[in-house]
Amino acid sequence: MTGAASQAYGEAWYWDERYRKEAGPFDWYQKYPALAPLLRLYVRTHQRLLLVGCGNSVFGENMVDDGYQDVVNIDISSVVIEQMKKKYHDKPQLKYTKMDVKNMSDFESGSFDAVIDKGTLDSLMCGQNSQEHAMKMLGEVNRILKDNGVYIMITYGDPSYRLHLLKDLQLWTVKLHVIDRWERSSKQTWDLTKPLPLHEDSTSIIGLLGPKPDVHYIYVCIKGNDSPRVGSKAVANEAAN
């Protein structure tokens, strides 16, 4: 991927052109089966959730097949949204809407229990005005989340790049999980469901994972600074299911 192409990741025209050429399904970073144990920990099947930058991923389809009942998908590309509407016209649990993640004004405030992001913030961070666009996106994500709602971001961005961006907003409690990169690893190294210790800087993570770990980082941002810890959330989920 050229630098010019990566800088266009936040532009609709780039994705329209790409999806006209690449019709087959593609999942960024991780596929649903690998992430399912973590999602079950934080998101109940009856809750309303949003997949941002959905592209032509089968992630939403896999979630519905696994029991999730209300999965809304948005993407900046009108081309891929039309493709996905046709593909899933017989699945009412899956909804597709063309929308810019930096301006989700069509959604009411506090209308989602969870937002899942596999690479969308990363794509904005590759382009021009990256900091401004990232802040707009995160502000909108926070706005549409209910109190104690969760923003789950799967990314290649380690804590030295992502943690301050998330914590400086002072909007949520941040927990960090890691998962081995599925395309490069033949065995599981880390327990996906156990959050790693986070300090204000990233030294604790560097010491634990090493200098260049072959993982994807998963930031779980729980709206509100008085949010319950992962242990109590997990117990509540188990009791409800």
Side-chain angles (χ1 to χ4, degrees), residues 155-211:
T155 173
Y156 62 79
D158 69 44
S160 64
Y161 293 99
R162 294 288 183 269
L163 192 56
H164 285 300
L165 180 66
L166 294 170
K167 283 197 168 184
D168 285 352
L169 292 170
Q170 299 183 340
L171 298 173
W172 31 46
T173 300
V174 181
K175 301 181 185 297
L176 175 64
H177 299 253
V178 295
I179 186 171
D180 296 290
R181 298 191 185 192
W182 63 268
E183 74 274 19
R184 298 182 183 178
S185 179
S186 58
K187 62 180 180 178
Q188 180 177 333
T189 306
W190 306 99
D191 186 344
L192 174 64
T193 61
K194 291 185 178 179
L196 302 183
L198 274 179
H199 299 160
E200 286 305 313
D201 57 22
S202 57
T203 55
S204 60
I205 302 303
I206 295 173
L208 185 63
L209 301 181

Side-chain angles (χ1 to χ4, degrees), residues 45 47-49 51 60-61 63-73 88-96:
T45 55
Q47 292 180 319
R48 188 180 190 222
L49 60 98
L51 300 182
E61 175 189 352
M63 293 195 78
V64 168
D65 290 343
D66 198 28
Y68 288 89
Q69 301 163 21
D70 192 358
V71 182
V72 181
N73 300 260
Y88 294 117
H89 66 90
D90 59 343
K91 282 189 179 288
Q93 306 96 322
L94 282 172
K95 304 168 186 67
Y96 287 88

